[in-house]
Amino acid sequence: MLRAKIVHKAVGLLLVKMNSWGHSTTDLSRVRKRSSLRGVNANRRQFLQFLAASSVLAPAARAWAQQAAASHEPFALTSAKDALDVMEFEGAARSALPPAHWGYMATGVDDDLTLKANVEAFKHIRLKPRRLVDVSKADLRTEVYGAVWETPIFVCPVGSQRAFHPEGELATARAARAKRTTMILSSVTTYSVEEVAKALATPPWYQLYMPLKWEDTQKLVKRVEDAGCPALVWTVDLLAGRNTETATRFARQDTRNCVACHTQGPGIRIHSPMFDGLDGRFNPPEATWAYVDRLKKLTRMKLLLKGIDGADDARLAVDHGVDGLVVSNHGGRASETLRATIDCLPEVVDAVRGRIPVFVDGGFRRGADVYKALASGARAVGIGRPYIWGLSAFGQEGVERVLDILRAELTLTMRQMGTPSIRDITPARVLRG
C-alpha cells in the first residue's frame, strides 16, 4: 500500500511537470510550439494509459489513471478530425496561442457578462418537434439576395487572423471554399481582399470599419467594390469605443518581445493591408443615419448594418434603404448590455416585417443553436470564435472540422424536429421562457 502511494505521488509530480511543458511560453516559433504541444499531450495520454494497465499501482490508482486518460480535458485534442464538438477546440486553441493573442480573441467587455449571456441564452429556448415526417433527406440550402447558399451558416469577420495562425485569413478562406460557406472578411484582415478572394475562389462579403476621413471611406469602398465583393457590412457597434479588460489582463501575462510584429509597440495592431495609403484610423464617433445615406449613394454593393439589436434601429434601417441587418453585439465585445443576440433577434425580425433579410451572430456553439435562430426568423447564422479556435489549433483543417460539426449537428436537429428543409423551420418549433 505504501509503495502504491509513493508511486502515485511520483506520477502526480511527473504529470504536473508535463503540464508545465505543455503550457510553456518560450520564444520558439509558433509552428514548433504547436508541434511540441501535440507531442506532449499524446505522450501524456499514453503514459496514463500505461499506468491504467500497470500491476504496480493499487486498483484505485489504476482507476484514477484510466479516468484521467479518458477525461474530457481541453488540451487533450491532438487532431482536428478527433473533435466531437466545437468546444473541444477551445482548449486546443488556448494551448497553442500566446497569452496576448488568446486574450484578444477571448475577451468580452467589462466583466464579460454579455459574452456569457450570448451562450447561456440558448439554454432557455426549448425545441418542439413534429413526428412521422419524412426526414430521409435534409436540405440546408437557403436563398440570400438571389444566390443559393449551401448552408445557412457563414463565417463571421474576425480581424488579425495571422495572430492565430501563420496563414490567417487565407486558411479560413480555403476552408470556407472547401465547405461551400460564405465568408465575411474583416476590415482589419492581415491579407488583402484580393488575396482572400483568390483563396476563396470568389469575392467575400466585406465588413467595413469606416475610416475617420470620408475621402478614405470612398477609397476603401471603391477598392472593395472593384474586387467584386457583393455586400458591404458596416459594423456600427464600436463607434463609441469599448473596454476590453480581459484582453488587457492576458496581455500583461505575455512576456514575449512583440516588436517584430507590433512594430509601433505592444497593443498597436499589426499591418492592415486594407488601410494601405489611408490614414488608418476608423470608427467615427460622430456617425449618424446620414452616413448610411451617403454609403448607399457611394456603392452598388448590398449594404448591411452589423450591430443592430432593437426594433427602433431596425425600422430606421429599413427607412434608410439598408439591404440587410446582422443582429450582433460583437460577440459580447462591444458594450455590456447583458442582452443575448438570440433574445434580440425576434424583436428585430418583427420590426422589419420581411422587407429585408436578418442575420445573427453571437454565442453559437451547437447546430441546435443555429436551428433556434432560424426558427426565430434569421436568414443565416454567423460563427466567430469556434472557427478561430479551429484555426489556432489546426489551421485550415481545424476550420473545416468546425464547419463540418456544426453542419452535421444542424442536419440532425432538422431531422429530429421533423423539418427536413430550411423553409420548414418556423417559430412554432421553439418555445421561449
Side-chain angles (χ1 to χ4, degrees):
M1 184 65 180
L2 179 61
R3 181 183 179 187
K5 286 183 178 179
I6 294 173
V7 173
H8 189 124
K9 185 174 182 179
V11 167
L13 292 173
L14 180 56
L15 287 174
V16 169
K17 182 62 177 175
M18 292 179 75
N19 277 339
S20 71
W21 296 341
H23 291 83
S24 172
T25 54
T26 67
D27 291 328
L28 295 176
S29 69
R30 295 276 305 284
V31 175
R32 288 177 60 197
K33 178 183 176 184
R34 190 174 286 111
S35 176
S36 174
L37 286 172
R38 291 174 188 167
V40 168
N41 292 336
N43 290 339
R44 182 182 190 278
R45 189 158 50 250
Q46 291 171 3
F47 179 58
L48 287 167
Q49 290 168 346
F50 166 76
L51 293 176
S54 173
S55 60
V56 176
L57 296 181
R62 291 200 303 271
W64 165 82
Q66 184 177 19
Q67 182 180 12
S71 66
H72 187 77
E73 296 179 356
F75 53 78
L77 188 63
T78 58
S79 172
K81 62 180 174 53
D82 291 336
L84 299 179
D85 67 81
V86 301
M87 291 304 299
E88 292 186 346
F89 286 99
E90 183 181 24
R94 185 164 185 173
S95 295
L97 295 174
H101 292 191
W102 169 261
Y104 167 74
M105 178 267 297
T107 191
V109 292
D110 296 353
D111 298 310
D112 296 345
L113 297 179
T114 304
L115 184 160
K116 296 171 185 175
N118 278 345
V119 178
E120 178 67 24
F122 289 104
K123 299 177 183 178
H124 306 289
I125 302 174
R126 293 162 290 163
L127 296 176
K128 185 180 178 182
R130 295 295 304 273
R131 306 303 185 193
L132 295 176
V133 177
D134 181 359
V135 293
S136 57
K137 297 180 181 179
D139 185 359
L140 274 65
R141 292 175 299 174
T142 189
E143 185 177 314
V144 180
Y145 301 129
V148 176
W149 288 12
E150 292 294 320
T151 170
I153 299 170
F154 63 90
V155 173
C156 279
V158 176
S160 303
Q161 290 189 23
R162 267 196 275 188
F164 309 115
H165 188 273
E167 295 181 330
E169 293 84 2
L170 298 185
T172 297
R174 288 193 290 267
R177 175 183 180 180
K179 299 305 173 182
R180 299 181 180 180
T181 300
T182 296
M183 176 182 180
I184 305 181
L185 180 66
S186 171
S187 271
V188 288
T189 175
T190 47
Y191 287 98
S192 70
V193 66
E194 295 85 2
E195 292 173 295
V196 172
K198 185 176 180 179
L200 187 62
T202 188
W205 286 22
Y206 188 83
Q207 176 263 341
L208 174 68
Y209 282 135
M210 182 178 287
L212 295 188
K213 298 179 179 180
W214 181 251
E215 55 267 33
D216 284 351
T217 299
Q218 291 175 309
K219 294 175 183 177
L220 179 56
V221 171
K222 183 180 187 305
R223 177 178 176 180
V224 171
E225 188 167 77
D226 288 347
C229 295
L232 186 69
V233 186
W234 181 23
T235 294
V236 297
D237 57 14
L238 292 185
L239 301 179
R242 60 181 173 181
N243 178 37
T244 53
E245 293 179 6
T246 295
T248 301
R249 291 189 182 99
F250 273 102
R252 288 172 177 172
Q253 299 173 22
D254 205 321
T255 59
R256 299 169 304 132
N257 183 350
C258 299
V259 175
C261 295
H262 299 269
T263 55
Q264 299 182 45
I268 307 299
R269 74 176 189 275
I270 60 177
H271 177 232
S272 300
M274 296 308 296
F275 289 93
D276 285 347
L278 308 181
D279 175 85
R281 296 174 297 164
F282 49 80
N283 286 332
E286 75 277 8
T288 65
W289 288 98
Y291 280 59
V292 176
D293 299 334
R294 296 172 78 180
L295 275 179
K296 283 288 295 181
K297 294 177 181 177
L298 185 61
T299 181
R300 298 185 302 276
M301 292 181 286
K302 298 291 184 182
L303 176 62
L304 295 86
L305 297 185
K306 183 177 185 292
I308 301 297
D309 65 2
D312 292 338
D313 283 341
R315 283 190 286 266
L316 279 170
V318 174
D319 292 343
H320 284 266
V322 169
D323 298 297
L325 297 175
V326 182
V327 177
S328 176
N329 53 32
H330 222 100
R333 297 160 61 88
S335 54
E336 198 74 295
T337 64
L338 305 184
R339 299 175 66 227
T341 53
I342 190 64
D343 290 337
C344 300
L345 177 61
E347 177 183 342
V348 174
V349 170
D350 289 345
V352 304
R353 301 199 312 270
R355 290 172 289 179
I356 57 175
V358 177
F359 307 85
V360 65
D361 63 37
F364 291 87
R365 303 292 184 263
R366 286 283 189 183
D369 299 341
V370 176
Y371 186 97
K372 292 171 183 178
L374 298 174
S376 300
R379 182 67 60 87
V381 172
I383 59 167
R385 285 184 179 89
Y387 86 82
I388 292 298
W389 296 335
L391 176 69
S392 300
F394 304 105
Q396 177 182 343
E397 183 185 6
V399 179
E400 290 188 21
R401 181 60 181 153
V402 167
L403 294 173
D404 279 341
I405 289 172
L406 290 175
R407 179 165 184 162
E409 290 180 348
L410 174 59
T411 301
L412 180 59
T413 303
M414 290 170 61
R415 286 173 165 161
Q416 291 170 328
M417 294 295 294
T419 50
S421 70
I422 297 297
R423 64 177 177 273
D424 297 323
I425 304 173
T426 70
R429 303 279 63 78
V430 292
L431 297 171
R432 292 176 175 268

